[in-house]
Amino acid sequence: MNRILTVIVNNHAGVLNRITGLFLRRGFNIQSITVGTTEVEDQSRMTIVIDADDPAVVEQVIKQLYKQIDVLKVTDITDMPMVARELALIRVNSPLSTRSEVTTLIEPFRASIIDVGRESVTIQATGHPDKIEALIALLRPYGIKELARTGVTAFTRDTEKVAEISRFNKVRAL
Amino acid sequence: MGLGLQKPEEVSAPQPQPQKISGSQMLIEALRQERVEVIFGYPGGAVLPEYDALYGAGIPHILTRHEQGAIHAAEGYARVTGKPGVVIATSGPGATNLVTGLADAMMDSLPLVVFTGQVGSNVIGSDAFQEAPVLGITMPITKHNYQVRDVDSLPRIIKEAFHIAATGRPGPVLIDIPKDIATTLGVFDYSEPVHLPGYQPTVVPNRLQIRKVAAAIAQAKKPVVLAGAGVVFAGAAKELLEFVERVQIPVVNTLLGLGGFPASHPLFLGMGGMHGSYAANMAMYECDLLINIGARFDDRLTGNLKHFARFAKVVHIDIDPAEIGKNVPTDIPVVGDAREALRALLEEPLERGDTAEWLAHVKRMKQEYPFWYQADGQGLKPQRLVELIYQFTGGDAIITTDVGQHQMWAAQYYRFDKPNRWVTSGGLGTMGFGLPAAIGAQIGARDKTVVAIVGDGGFQMTLQELAVLTDYKLPVKVVIVNNSALGMVRQWQQLFYEERYSESLLPGQPDFVKLAEAYHMKGYRVHTEAEAQAVLREALALPEPVLIDCRVPAEENVYPMVAPGKGIHEMVGIRP
Ligand SMILES: Cc1ncc(C[n+]2csc(CCOP(=O)(O)OP(=O)(O)O)c2C)c(N)n1
């Protein structure tokens, strides 16, 4: 099962190396990793998705992360109320004959066409990784020529608003 | 800046007005502030500014003959003094020669602060002469590392490095200093307190967890304590003894924990693990409560994990939370310093369970299955050699070793009663560790007898450091347990590879006595126990370095033994 960890680190040179090196050395598998700045200067947020079924492994990953001097906070947010988002760029075969079909198909995903060529279109989609997966599966029969995914970035919800927003979200999703 | 001769103790805290000094002068000044007594190192192009600042600065520097020698010496120093060992090496090959020592110190939690030179900031990444990506190479084998980008950050970085190296679970910290940084002027301010929000080791354990341990002790019928190097690092030998005597629980030591509990104590069961004592291993197998204090459940200790402590409730006290539950599922985790945890336990009204039968049982095992070897009245048995060293040093010498059979015999037969006297490479198992580690140990403990018990194989990996013994008049006694073989490899080939001795025999040895003489040291060769007695007595009384080439039979094996993959209750060779 995938677990999503958010890791707040000092924004120092080499920190990403420290983290990926740690995963390599300890034999932990990274599904995806994203890094970016945060609201606090000098701190970065990493969102790391790992494939681990054994809670002992997840615990070991978290403890090993904490041993890094540059790691300030690690949270396993998998089971918390959270928002997880990913962006995908998909160039799909789409001669004029299928173009309107593709356009209709992506509409419920609230994906958009951001580039149009003679034989293909480029689609941009954001959302939960499951949604991206579903979109990719639907587009595959048309022939995907190029695919780029950012990996997940995520954080927890402001708990007071959780129930409300998730209802809102369910309506909007798909 | 006053960079003249000055003893570390005479430093006065307030710094003079913000006058600018160079990065290399900052380094020296910071070492003074840290009260560094000695530096182990080797110069080169990228550290010429540092060596220039060191010239006449009054901080003793030990020039080894290889950077690996310098870092192992620093490890030996750290092991006996508990203070960080300081190393300087040049960029490129100087830095890469430190890799083994860094990995060794990382595995065995030894506090080191290591400075490497680097090519100039403007050419980093251009494959410049003697450039090596030291930060990347050493990232996984240091507790933390730095590359200095700006001279003004150097004092802060050095201060943090000493703090990180010596606190929490100790370890090596490396600082890579580009050559231009060493010559750039900046303001030296060492007064800022260390601020590391991401590094806050838990020292004082949680009281509730301590109470759970106390409750488990009250219920246990078959308790055992496993004491590791964490006890020694924490300076908790006294507290451990008091605790053990209060609760009357037998004690097993790890290889690196030896000395943390007196070997002559009636409750001591010996070292556990692959070549540990039968009583120690059976106690860990049969116990219903295992209290691990500062040990990391290394696989050489536990044997096959399926069988390890399989009937026991497991308590694990460790300053490094990542060690808890890593190898062995733990029922009562206690994060904290070993001494703090023991003190907290001693504050509890400790009750003992009904352990009379268990105590009688483990004592019987200890009596019935001591370490053994067959004395044949001829030649010199390596085990007997260690017994003689024990006897002639009154059991109070500092012993360093290489890795192999002689290391295990030293651990089995030198019965340490006190901590910080046992200097060996445990986790990494680094051949060639013994001689350079003895150099550092002797410098850290000038008035102590230091004996380097080394293998004929391992000795030849770092023997050039003999020069250091003569240079600095260090009266280390180098005892080569010479079996004309890579003994431990030979033993495994005998036992598990049908006696196919592939590349493990060393029939053509150099003349080690002449070698000693070439280094202006006294050299002896002994073949029999009688000769060994006479020579040891004479050599140990000499106030100078001595080398003794001890010829021992090649066929001797280390027993008892837990074969690889077996449980610790499946020892072989437990009796003659
Ligand atoms: C640097 C290094 N290389 C290889 C080994 C593997 N190894 C472990 S013990 C051993 C034999 C050591 O022989 P020697 O130093 O003569 O000691 P003995 O076992 O004979 O006492 C070897 C080769 C090692 N531990 N370290």
Side-chain angles (χ1 to χ4, degrees):
Chain A
M1 202 198 114
N2 283 353
R3 312 278 325 172
I4 304 177
L5 308 181
T6 62
V7 186
I8 304 294
V9 298
N10 286 325
N11 186 8
H12 291 168
V15 173
L16 182 60
N17 260 331
R18 287 182 201 282
I19 304 299
T20 53
L22 165 67
F23 278 77
L24 172 69
R25 168 162 102 251
R26 300 267 169 195
F28 305 139
N29 247 329
I30 301 183
Q31 300 285 318
S32 75
I33 183 165
T34 62
V35 200
T37 51
T38 66
E39 73 285 3
V40 183
E41 208 189 330
D42 297 336
Q43 289 183 8
S44 302
R45 171 191 296 270
M46 293 187 182
T47 307
I48 304 176
V49 181
I50 55 168
D51 179 12
D53 287 324
D54 185 351
V57 171
V58 181
E59 186 185 318
Q60 205 26 234
V61 170
I62 294 173
K63 284 173 166 179
Q64 290 298 338
L65 283 168
Y66 264 124
K67 277 181 75 164
Q68 295 292 322
I69 311 283
D70 283 320
V71 168
L72 303 172
K73 179 119 191 79
V74 186
T75 322
D76 179 351
I77 63 169
T78 319
D79 302 323
M80 296 181 183
M82 54 135 177
V83 268
R85 289 289 179 271
E86 188 179 4
L87 183 142
L89 298 176
I90 310 158
R91 182 167 13 250
V92 66
N93 258 336
S94 173
L96 282 173
S97 56
T98 62
R99 194 152 295 177
S100 64
E101 197 178 317
V102 167
T103 313
T104 323
L105 185 105
I106 66 171
E107 207 215 332
F109 291 85
R110 295 191 307 118
S112 50
I113 291 175
I114 55 166
D115 191 30
V116 179
R118 257 185 15 169
E119 295 296 321
S120 68
V121 293
T122 300
I123 297 160
Q124 169 190 305
T126 49
H128 192 276
D130 290 349
K131 170 177 149 183
I132 306 288
E133 290 292 345
L135 176 61
I136 290 169
L138 280 173
L139 290 172
R140 189 151 279 138
Y142 296 90
I144 292 177
K145 295 173 80 176
E146 214 177 334
L147 173 65
R149 295 174 68 167
T150 58
V152 181
T153 191
F155 62 24
T156 50
R157 292 178 186 284
D158 188 338
T159 40
E160 283 171 10
K161 296 182 202 149
V162 168
E164 197 191 326
I165 294 182
S166 58
R167 209 175 335 115
F168 179 53
N169 228 53
K170 248 180 227 147
V171 176
R172 296 209 315 184
L174 290 173
Chain B
M1 280 306 304
L3 289 179
L5 277 167
Q6 203 175 20
K7 278 204 189 128
E9 307 87 61
E10 290 165 10
V11 171
S12 50
Q15 282 304 297
Q17 58 277 54
Q19 191 188 335
K20 290 198 167 186
I21 58 173
S22 70
S24 55
Q25 286 170 318
M26 286 186 182
L27 168 62
I28 301 300
E29 200 47 48
L31 296 185
R32 284 218 186 95
Q33 298 279 325
E34 296 291 342
R35 309 230 178 307
V36 170
E37 300 167 325
V38 61
I39 302 168
F40 303 92
Y42 207 96
V47 284
L48 280 170
E50 283 84 347
Y51 273 85
D52 189 58
L54 190 62
Y55 191 74
I59 303 179
H61 176 279
I62 304 295
L63 176 66
T64 54
R65 293 301 183 271
H66 188 295
E67 289 85 354
Q68 186 184 356
I71 191 162
H72 289 331
E75 291 182 83
Y77 174 85
R79 183 68 85 185
V80 303
T81 62
K83 295 184 233 171
V86 175
V87 179
I88 302 184
T90 193
S91 67
T96 55
N97 274 349
L98 296 175
V99 165
T100 302
L102 288 169
D104 192 272
M106 185 68 176
M107 277 283 220
D108 287 352
S109 313
L110 290 167
L112 301 182
V113 177
V114 177
F115 298 92
T116 49
Q118 182 53 280
V119 299
S121 308
N122 59 332
V123 292
I124 286 180
S126 72
D127 302 317
F129 178 62
Q130 293 195 326
E131 178 179 3
V134 173
L135 208 60
I137 291 172
T138 63
M139 212 171 257
I141 50 171
T142 49
K143 186 171 171 185
H144 196 53
N145 63 7
Y146 298 87
Q147 187 169 68
V148 185
R149 302 271 162 104
D150 159 20
V151 72
D152 290 325
S153 65
L154 186 57
R156 171 186 60 79
I157 288 175
I158 298 176
K159 197 165 185 175
E160 286 178 7
F162 275 91
H163 177 72
I164 292 168
T167 54
R169 177 180 179 175
V173 180
L174 180 140
I175 304 175
D176 197 36
I177 307 178
K179 192 168 180 181
D180 55 304
I181 298 284
T183 53
T184 305
L185 299 183
V187 176
F188 181 81
D189 180 3
Y190 215 67
S191 59
E192 281 290 305
V194 169
H195 175 67
L196 291 167
Y199 177 70
Q200 309 285 340
T202 306
V203 175
V204 179
N206 181 316
R207 184 57 70 166
L208 290 175
Q209 296 301 98
I210 292 291
R211 297 222 169 102
K212 283 189 203 159
V213 178
I217 292 170
Q219 275 162 22
K221 292 198 166 63
K222 302 176 182 179
V224 64
V225 164
L226 170 67
V231 170
V232 180
F233 287 127
K238 197 174 113 272
E239 286 79 1
L240 177 63
L241 181 63
E242 194 183 333
F243 168 72
V244 164
E245 291 194 328
R246 270 262 296 278
V247 292
Q248 290 292 308
I249 298 180
V251 178
V252 173
N253 264 151
T254 64
L255 173 70
L256 291 178
L258 291 172
F261 188 79
S264 57
H265 197 281
L267 283 167
F268 186 60
L269 299 182
M271 171 175 78
M274 182 169 271
H275 293 297
S277 78
Y278 179 74
N281 283 345
M282 287 309 289
M284 288 193 289
Y285 176 72
E286 293 174 354
C287 65
D288 65 358
L289 176 65
L290 179 67
I291 306 173
N292 172 347
I293 311 175
R296 63 180 175 88
F297 286 132
D298 171 71
D299 57 86
R300 281 291 196 268
L301 175 93
T302 62
N304 188 325
L305 281 170
K306 250 198 344 242
H307 305 288
F308 182 76
R310 61 187 293 189
F311 310 108
K313 183 175 255 190
V314 174
V315 172
H316 191 167
I317 302 173
D318 207 303
I319 193 137
D320 179 0
E323 286 304 338
I324 300 177
K326 187 181 81 178
N327 297 337
V328 173
T330 301
D331 301 281
I332 310 178
V334 181
V335 180
D337 171 83
R339 187 164 64 175
E340 294 292 335
L342 283 162
R343 281 184 179 165
L345 273 168
L346 285 166
E347 282 164 19
E348 294 295 313
L350 293 168
E351 273 173 55
R352 292 167 49 191
D354 177 11
T355 58
E357 211 173 297
W358 170 247
L359 285 176
H361 172 62
V362 295
K363 281 183 184 165
R364 202 162 46 242
M365 286 197 291
K366 180 180 168 182
Q367 246 152 40
E368 277 178 33
Y369 301 96
F371 291 125
W372 63 272
Y373 60 92
Q374 257 154 349
D376 51 14
Q378 302 165 3
L380 174 61
K381 289 280 170 163
Q383 300 92 333
R384 180 69 190 141
L385 174 63
V386 178
E387 285 181 334
L388 290 175
I389 296 170
Y390 176 76
Q391 201 179 315
F392 291 146
T393 56
D396 197 35
I398 290 171
I399 304 292
T400 76
T401 74
D402 280 342
V403 169
Q405 291 183 312
H406 67 281
Q407 176 191 32
M408 293 299 116
W409 287 318
Q412 291 178 338
Y413 291 92
Y414 202 98
R415 301 196 307 278
F416 295 91
D417 275 338
K418 294 189 189 141
N420 303 98
R421 281 156 178 74
W422 172 233
V423 185
T424 197
S425 166
L428 198 66
T430 307
M431 285 171 72
F433 177 81
L435 172 59
I439 290 169
Q442 185 76 78
I443 287 167
R446 292 275 183 175
D447 52 344
K448 279 250 160 336
T449 301
V450 177
V451 183
I453 301 180
V454 296
D456 47 317
F459 173 64
Q460 293 186 70
M461 287 196 172
T462 51
L463 65 79
Q464 73 284 353
E465 305 305 339
L466 286 177
V468 178
L469 299 184
T470 352
D471 279 0
Y472 298 93
K473 302 193 170 37
L474 301 172
V476 170
K477 312 298 179 242
V478 181
V479 175
I480 305 176
V481 183
N482 187 349
N483 52 11
S484 298
L486 303 175
M488 191 56 98
V489 173
R490 192 207 55 74
Q491 173 168 346
W492 281 52
Q493 289 172 339
Q494 180 189 344
L495 299 178
F496 310 118
Y497 292 88
E498 295 149 353
E499 302 184 22
R500 290 153 60 84
Y501 297 124
S502 180
E503 306 297 320
S504 61
L505 306 179
L506 302 171
Q509 295 281 36
D511 185 331
F512 290 124
V513 174
K514 280 198 183 136
L515 181 77
E517 284 160 5
Y519 281 104
H520 316 294
M521 298 170 49
K522 260 211 171 81
Y524 300 87
R525 179 168 298 116
V526 302
H527 298 88
T528 64
E529 184 182 329
E531 285 170 10
Q533 296 221 15
V535 165
L536 278 172
R537 198 168 275 133
E538 180 181 326
L540 284 164
L542 288 173
E544 59 187 64
V546 165
L547 180 150
I548 312 173
D549 176 16
C550 302
R551 299 302 178 95
V552 301
E555 312 74 57
E556 203 62 28
N557 284 340
V558 183
Y559 287 121
M561 178 173 193
V562 179
K566 298 284 185 189
I568 47 166
H569 61 304
E570 300 173 285
M571 294 198 94
V572 295
I574 55 176
R575 271 195 219 265

